[in-house]
């Protein structure tokens, strides 16, 4: 009998449909090996750093059937980067401290042979830093925003687009019935993927994305032309990171310990801009928010997440550390964590996707 080896799995950053399917994929693949035991750290690395530690064994009972569930059975946080860990001081202020050495020591002391970190860009930057400190780590990319350049798609994205499209379809009926301009705001941070795919799937007249700054006057013209043509309603999809020409995004300071500003509210900003620019149509705004990240993953995301989980465990078994699994040319492969974190994946305004959307009559306000 080979020596028993232990792998620690964690989910970091925002939750995302498909995380549980990855966890199950890892656990199922590991079980085929007989000598691998799979454990989960609760709430990203906090399960290791906190006292008492919170680490659970991922038995078949714990992972059975979880691939259909949204969220993560391991819980998550985007406020505990071990390299800049937010520690509350006695006077109530927060001080960021580097706890990465302590983390690596604790993981080693617990006897783990490898770690699988399921998370987005921030999490994979942490994976890279920990790998440089000698930790045997493998990354699995996740984000509904689809903004990681090293993989052709991330799981969660398709589910978010499906939810946004279903919501869009519901808003169309009100737009038609009331002759309104209905603005729907979707997530995506600095990338317009969710907005663009939803606009095409739903049949929007206007799609505003962070990669293409919009001209409010052009939008008013487009809306007027449609009303004059007798269509009598307009549906708009706007990404939370979209901004007007010479304008700024709508952002609030992130919560303490969080590295990101919080986006959201552009639908209301756009509504005001349109009215100020002379749009006389009745306008209503809908901000989809976390609905897009909730609930059960689509079949596509369950498949992609399951394949990522199996592949991540295979990398661990073969001792291929410092890598992130990825989808490339319709097959599951891997890239170095260096490559994984080098650049973001933004919508290219000269791409065929944008050209085709324009061909469908969608205005980007440019
Ligand atoms: O990155 C995923 C995402 O859902 C973004 O689209 C959104 O801007 C952000 O996370 C929201 O984060 P939080 O859940 O911390 O409010």
């Amino acid at each position: 009998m080979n020596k028993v080896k232990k792998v620690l799995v964690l989910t970091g950053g925002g939750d995302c449909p498909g995380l549980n399917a990855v966890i199950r994929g890892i656990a199922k693949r590991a079980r085929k090996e007989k000598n691998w035991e799979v454990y989960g750290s609760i709430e990203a690395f906090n399960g290791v750093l906190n006292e008492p530690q919170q680490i659970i064994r991922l038995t078949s009972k714990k992972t059975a059937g979880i691939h259909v569930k949204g969220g993560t059975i391991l819980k998550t946080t985007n406020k505990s980067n071990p390299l800049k860990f937010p520690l509350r001081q006695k006077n109530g202020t927060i001080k960021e401290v580097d706890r990465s050495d302590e983390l690596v020591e604790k993981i080693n002391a617990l006897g783990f042979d490898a770690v699988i970190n399921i998370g987005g860009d921030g999490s994979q930057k942490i994976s890279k830093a920990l790998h440089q400190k000698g930790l045997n780590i493998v990354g699995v990319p996740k984000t509904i925003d689809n903004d990681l350049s090293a993989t052709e798609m991330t799981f969660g994205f398709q589910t978010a687009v499906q939810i946004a499209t279903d919501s869009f379809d519901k808003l169309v009926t009100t737009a038609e019935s009331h002759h309104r301009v209905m603005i729907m705001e979707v997530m995506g941070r600095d990338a317009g993927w969710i907005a663009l795919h939803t606009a095409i799937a739903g049949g929007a007249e206007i799609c505003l994305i962070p990669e293409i700054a919009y001209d409010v006057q052009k939008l008013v013209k487009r809306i007027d032309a449609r009303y004059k043509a007798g269509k009598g309603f307009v549906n708009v999809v706007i990404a939370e990171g979209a901004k007007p020409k010479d304008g700024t995004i709508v952002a609030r300071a992130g919560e303490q310990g969080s590295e990101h500003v919080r986006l959201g509210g552009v639908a209301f900003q756009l509504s005001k801009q349109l009215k100020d620019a002379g749009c006389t149509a009745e306008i209503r705004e809908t901000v989809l928010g976390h609905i897009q990240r909730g609930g059960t993953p689509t079949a596509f995301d369950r498949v992609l997440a399951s394949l990522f989980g199996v592949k991540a465990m295979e990398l661990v078994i073969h001792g291929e550390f410092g890598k992130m699994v990825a989808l490339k040319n319709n097959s599951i492969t891997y890239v170095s964590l260096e490559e994984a974190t080098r650049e973001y994946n933004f919508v290219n305004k000269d791409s065929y996707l944008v050209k085709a959307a324009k061909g469908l009559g969608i205005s980007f306000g440019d």
Side-chain angles (χ1 to χ4, degrees):
M1 177 77 179
N2 290 337
K3 174 187 168 289
V4 171
K5 291 183 167 186
K6 300 200 302 179
V7 58
L8 182 68
V9 182
L10 62 125
T11 50
D15 70 332
C16 175
L19 286 169
N20 286 325
V22 179
I23 295 168
R24 175 174 168 273
I26 293 167
K28 275 191 161 282
R29 182 62 186 85
R31 258 169 239 139
K32 286 182 81 77
E33 292 302 306
K34 314 278 187 255
N35 64 325
W36 276 98
E37 288 178 355
V38 184
Y39 293 79
S41 169
I42 300 298
E43 210 182 72
F45 285 113
N46 282 347
V48 177
L49 288 169
N50 286 352
E51 297 293 344
Q53 291 175 322
Q54 271 190 293
I55 290 162
I56 58 166
R57 176 95 187 262
L58 290 170
T59 57
S60 58
K61 202 172 163 196
K62 280 249 160 42
T63 59
I66 62 170
H67 57 299
V68 304
K69 289 186 186 150
T72 161
I73 63 161
L74 292 177
K75 317 294 177 202
T76 188
T77 175
N78 50 14
K79 290 190 283 293
S80 65
N81 180 348
L83 298 143
K84 289 182 192 173
F85 196 90
L87 266 193
R88 190 169 288 280
Q89 308 297 292
K90 279 195 183 129
N91 64 6
T93 59
I94 298 278
K95 190 179 166 202
E96 285 181 349
V97 292
D98 184 352
R99 296 183 71 187
S100 55
D101 288 330
E102 175 194 346
L103 176 66
V104 173
E105 271 168 33
K106 283 184 164 171
I107 290 171
N108 289 335
L110 287 161
F112 286 109
D113 299 278
V115 174
I116 299 177
N117 189 9
I118 314 166
D121 60 307
S123 299
Q124 300 317 332
K125 282 179 186 143
I126 295 168
S127 299
K128 190 175 96 177
L130 296 176
H131 181 246
Q132 282 163 353
K133 286 178 183 283
L135 196 69
N136 291 338
I137 193 161
V138 165
V140 177
K142 77 81 228 193
T143 168
I144 62 162
D145 304 337
N146 201 35
D147 59 356
L148 293 173
S149 63
T151 180
E152 278 160 17
M153 197 158 311
T154 48
F155 62 85
F157 170 65
Q158 288 263 339
T159 305
V161 170
Q162 191 59 57
I163 293 169
T165 303
D166 291 345
S167 309
F168 182 92
D169 292 347
K170 291 182 170 67
L171 292 172
V172 170
T173 52
T174 298
E176 277 182 310
S177 306
H178 285 263
H179 305 295
R180 283 179 179 160
V181 174
M182 299 296 285
I183 303 175
M184 187 175 86
E185 177 180 323
V186 298
M187 284 184 164
R189 297 207 68 83
D190 304 315
W193 296 109
I194 298 175
L196 182 49
H197 281 250
T198 303
I200 294 174
E205 283 71 45
I206 295 174
C207 174
L208 305 176
I209 59 174
E211 295 87 344
I212 305 176
Y214 61 88
D215 180 332
V216 182
Q217 291 297 342
K218 284 192 178 158
L219 296 179
V220 174
K221 269 195 195 150
R222 174 81 172 91
I223 293 168
D224 281 352
R226 201 170 140 85
Y227 276 85
K228 279 194 189 113
K231 295 284 169 58
F233 67 96
V234 171
N235 283 280
V236 182
V237 181
I238 183 166
E240 61 182 359
K243 54 183 175 303
K245 283 186 174 140
D246 310 319
T248 50
I249 54 165
V250 179
R252 287 161 281 165
E255 284 137 350
Q256 285 190 317
S258 169
E259 283 165 37
H260 290 298
V261 292
R262 286 185 66 198
L263 301 179
V266 280
F268 296 98
Q269 173 177 273
L270 175 66
S271 180
K272 185 171 182 314
Q273 287 165 343
L274 290 173
K275 283 177 199 152
D276 290 349
C279 177
T280 51
E282 205 174 26
I283 308 175
R284 290 289 186 273
E285 312 81 11
T286 301
V287 180
L288 279 194
H290 292 80
I291 298 274
Q292 290 156 95
R293 274 179 18 196
T296 185
T298 58
F300 179 93
D301 280 337
R302 291 183 206 181
V303 173
L304 183 59
S306 300
L307 299 189
F308 275 176
V310 169
K311 186 70 176 182
M313 190 60 215
E314 283 171 354
L315 292 182
V316 165
I317 291 163
H318 296 123
E320 292 272 8
F321 300 115
K323 308 285 195 299
M324 183 187 82
V325 301
L327 174 71
K328 282 193 172 190
N329 302 322
N330 215 18
S331 87
I332 306 295
T333 178
Y334 59 87
V335 295
S336 68
L337 285 170
E338 179 64 44
E339 187 185 337
T341 52
R342 204 172 291 146
E343 55 188 37
Y344 285 99
N345 174 29
F346 294 124
V347 174
N348 179 344
K349 62 180 173 31
D350 301 317
S351 63
Y352 184 70
L353 191 62
V354 171
K355 282 189 186 137
K358 287 184 176 176
L360 289 165
I362 298 173
S363 164
F364 290 82
D366 58 340

